């Protein structure tokens, strides 16, 4: 069972690796903090714009749109990294390429904290 759980984890499955900083519960905690504190700070900043002071619904929609767009941009960046790796390594659909691709996916998941997300913040 332990080996099966490890294989499932390596493929991005439902099990959590408690040794990783980027495990799902940590991500949930981070988003919760973002929603509870950063959202309030952003709404306060939007209140300082005279035209937006009475548009609570618009402010909420605007903030939600920013989160969605940031998420999509991050997804696109991750996809671009994967595609560049495949192109550089000239991966095909044979078994050894699939194993290498899974290894790369595991590496990307376990080193997520090393990536500079500064571009995402300013986009």
């Amino acid at each position: 069972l332990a080996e099966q759980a490890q294989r499932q984890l390596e493929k991005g499955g439902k099990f959590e690796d408690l040794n990783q900083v980027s495990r799902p519960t940590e991500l949930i905690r981070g988003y919760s903090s973002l929603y509870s504190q950063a959202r309030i700070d952003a709404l306060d900043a939007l209140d300082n714009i005279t035209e937006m002071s009475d548009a609570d619904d618009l402010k909420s929609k605007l903030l939600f749109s920013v989160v969605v767009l940031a998420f999509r941009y991050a997804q696109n960046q991750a996809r671009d990294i994967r595609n560049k790796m495949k192109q550089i390594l000239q991966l095909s659909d044979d078994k050894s390429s699939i194993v290498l691709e899974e290894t790369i996916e595991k590496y990307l998941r376990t080193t997520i904290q090393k990536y500079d997300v500064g571009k995402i913040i300013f986009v």
Side-chain angles (χ1 to χ4, degrees):
L1 286 177
E3 288 176 12
Q4 184 180 7
Q6 184 63 34
R7 281 194 305 273
Q8 183 70 16
L9 176 65
E10 289 172 356
K11 291 182 181 180
K14 297 177 184 176
F15 296 102
E16 286 193 33
D17 183 352
L18 298 179
N19 296 320
Q20 286 184 341
V21 176
S22 60
R23 64 185 191 258
T25 52
E26 288 299 320
L27 294 174
I28 291 167
R29 192 172 295 129
Y31 276 105
S32 176
S33 172
L34 175 68
Y35 184 77
S36 63
Q37 186 56 47
R39 180 181 63 92
I40 293 169
D41 294 343
L43 287 172
D44 288 344
L46 288 173
D47 279 337
N48 292 331
I49 300 172
T50 309
E51 295 84 5
M52 301 274 300
S53 61
D54 293 329
D56 292 333
D57 197 37
L58 179 61
K59 289 185 286 190
S60 294
K61 288 178 182 179
L62 178 64
L63 290 177
F64 183 73
S65 295
V66 168
V67 171
V68 169
L69 291 173
F71 178 76
R72 287 183 184 161
Y73 184 81
Q75 279 184 320
N76 289 338
Q77 291 293 31
R79 187 182 63 243
D80 289 347
I81 291 170
R82 287 183 196 94
N83 290 338
K84 286 176 187 175
M85 294 288 287
K86 289 178 188 178
Q87 184 180 16
I88 290 169
L89 297 172
Q90 299 180 354
L91 298 180
S92 61
D93 289 333
D94 63 356
K95 186 175 181 174
S96 60
S97 292
I98 292 170
V99 170
L100 181 56
E101 192 173 338
E102 288 173 354
T103 304
I104 291 169
E105 285 291 325
K106 179 182 176 186
Y107 173 79
L108 291 174
R109 279 194 305 275
T110 59
T111 60
I112 192 73
Q113 299 298 323
K114 294 181 182 181
Y115 293 101
D116 178 21
V117 294
K119 287 190 241 177
I120 296 172
I121 294 169
F122 292 107
V123 168

